Amino acid sequence: MNQRAENLENQLADALELEHLEIIDESGNHNVPAGAQSHFKVIAVAQAFAEVTRIQRHRLINAAVQEEFAQGMHALAIHAYSPAEWQDRFGEAPMSPPCRGGGRETGS
């Protein structure tokens, strides 16, 4: 996972109680320099999305990752679902959420 994707994961996990999160770097599909880390897709599932409109979901996610936009991220495709919408659409429970701090050394 590249640094920007990791930052996105951490920022979204801090802002929302996620049941599922996928972050996909789509920069290679665009006319950008190699390694640009500028275009991403987020697939997020959270109960909080059951209570709000699509635009409000996008605003929640955009607010959580504003720092990445300020540091040069150009585009973010957002696919945000409530758990019920995810199950209706894909017929299965969302995958496990990201592990906060997973794979990082703790220094102990």
Side-chain angles (χ1 to χ4, degrees):
M1 179 180 293
N2 65 45
Q3 185 61 51
R4 178 153 285 148
E6 188 174 321
N7 291 349
L8 289 167
E9 180 178 300
N10 290 334
Q11 291 161 356
L12 290 166
D14 286 346
L16 298 162
E17 278 191 46
L18 298 165
E19 294 189 24
H20 174 72
L21 177 64
E22 290 178 56
I23 298 171
I24 302 159
D25 185 348
E26 298 184 324
S27 302
N29 300 338
H30 299 273
N31 187 18
V32 297
Q37 297 183 29
S38 59
H39 293 69
F40 286 83
K41 179 191 316 186
V42 168
I43 302 165
V45 179
Q47 185 59 41
F49 298 145
E51 311 297 324
V52 298
T53 66
R54 181 183 293 177
I55 191 74
Q56 290 168 318
R57 295 171 188 195
H58 285 228
R59 286 177 178 156
L60 286 169
I61 289 173
N62 280 321
V65 300
Q66 191 58 42
E67 183 178 326
E68 296 308 310
F69 281 112
Q71 294 180 8
M73 184 171 69
H74 176 73
L76 184 64
I78 299 172
H79 301 268
Y81 305 97
S82 71
E85 289 168 333
W86 179 271
Q87 196 157 24
D88 287 347
R89 187 171 200 139
F90 300 106
E92 57 188 53
M95 297 176 355
S96 298
C99 179
R100 293 180 48 91
R104 296 188 189 141
E105 293 184 28
T106 61
S108 23

